[in-house]
Amino acid sequence: NAGVTQTPKFRILKIGQSMTLQCTQDMNHNYMYWYRQDPGMGLKLIYYSVGAGITDKGEVPNGYNVSRSTTEDFPLRLELAAPSQTSVYFCASSYETRYEQYFGPGTRLTVT
Amino acid sequence: AQSVTQPDIHITVSEGASLELRCNYSYGATPYLFWYVQSPGQGLQLLLKYFSGDTLVQGIKGFEAEFKRSQSSFNLRKPSVHWSDAAEYFCAVSSDNQGGKLIFGQGTELSVKP
């Protein structure tokens, strides 16, 4: 199993550009999550999904969108990049709420 | 509001010394508690978890943690630290009625002196 994979690993965006961060898991997990990590702040939940076709907002959803058309994929969309979105983004998945989350390697995004 | 606090931002210990990282939580429901470790430039790896039962849980790499409900704490311990343990450690909490969403502490960075 590859586990949770994320692409790209690094990206630099200009203000106002758009991009999609890709996340795929091959563990047949129902639950998937997107977090952002800023220095000294831990990880904050952006969006999550409890299954294909179902998504919900987390703690910091503004400026982001998600979709979940399949069990495996959970892309995160940035429509109008802003410097405040400079961060490291982690995707995670779990089988159910009582099971641990498995994290991808992260995407380091810089908006200038 | 639900929250997790890791009071120590940075800890330095000597190799071979014991280690305790503190974690306190504020959570209305019965919590599920986790410790994750993150090496530089890497994702997060689960060290151990507590759902129910024995309040002393064993994890990977020789780590253990004790759940103390009366103190709302879930401190991580290791009897003898190795240089390879240098990393950032995150405590996190979730519950069934929160869709499995993890609430993370701010993290504790561990440095190990030779």
Side-chain angles (χ1 to χ4, degrees):
Chain A
N1 284 350
V4 179
T5 57
Q6 292 182 239
T7 57
K9 288 192 185 327
F10 304 93
R11 184 73 186 268
I12 299 174
L13 282 182
K14 295 189 185 305
I15 294 171
Q17 287 185 321
S18 302
M19 78 164 293
T20 299
L21 282 66
Q22 301 292 345
C23 175
T24 299
Q25 53 92 8
D26 63 358
M27 297 174 281
N28 201 32
H29 285 170
N30 294 318
Y31 291 74
M32 295 188 74
Y33 309 84
W34 274 106
Y35 297 90
R36 58 177 288 171
Q37 182 181 27
D38 301 301
M41 301 294 288
L43 282 77
K44 303 289 187 186
L45 182 67
I46 304 171
Y47 271 95
Y48 70 104
S49 169
V50 302
I54 305 170
T55 63
D56 206 349
K57 296 178 181 178
E59 188 179 357
V60 290
N62 291 344
Y64 307 94
N65 275 301
V66 294
S67 60
R68 183 97 182 268
S69 57
T70 67
T71 299
E72 295 78 20
D73 300 306
F74 190 41
L76 178 72
R77 178 84 177 160
L78 283 70
E79 291 293 349
L80 291 171
S84 61
Q85 293 176 306
T86 293
S87 189
V88 181
Y89 292 84
F90 288 99
C91 180
S93 72
S94 69
Y95 182 62
E96 281 187 13
T97 56
R98 289 188 173 221
Y99 290 74
E100 64 265 30
Q101 292 183 19
Y102 291 84
F103 284 79
T107 294
R108 185 175 295 275
L109 175 67
T110 302
V111 182
T112 62
Chain B
Q2 300 141 354
S3 65
V4 177
T5 302
Q6 294 179 245
D8 305 305
I9 295 173
H10 190 195
I11 285 182
T12 300
V13 299
S14 297
E15 191 168 15
S18 63
L19 171 70
E20 182 169 30
L21 302 182
R22 296 182 290 164
C23 173
N24 294 97
Y25 66 91
S26 172
Y27 214 74
T30 300
Y32 303 145
L33 295 157
F34 305 82
W35 275 99
Y36 283 87
V37 61
Q38 183 182 33
S39 298
Q42 303 296 313
L44 279 72
Q45 180 184 21
L46 180 73
L47 283 176
L48 47 79
K49 59 182 185 270
Y50 172 79
F51 287 154
S52 65
D54 193 347
T55 56
L56 183 64
V57 293
Q58 303 296 322
I60 62 171
K61 305 185 181 186
F63 286 92
E64 67 178 25
E66 186 170 12
F67 171 55
K68 294 185 176 180
R69 186 184 298 274
S70 61
Q71 299 178 18
S72 297
S73 69
F74 189 57
N75 294 349
L76 182 71
R77 300 194 294 250
K78 186 170 185 178
S80 178
V81 168
H82 188 263
W83 64 267
S84 60
D85 293 324
E88 187 146 26
Y89 292 79
F90 292 95
C91 181
V93 63
S94 73
S95 72
D96 274 337
N97 63 3
Q98 293 292 318
K101 292 179 286 185
L102 283 171
I103 297 173
F104 283 87
Q106 303 93 318
T108 298
E109 185 178 354
L110 173 66
S111 297
V112 181
K113 292 189 300 185

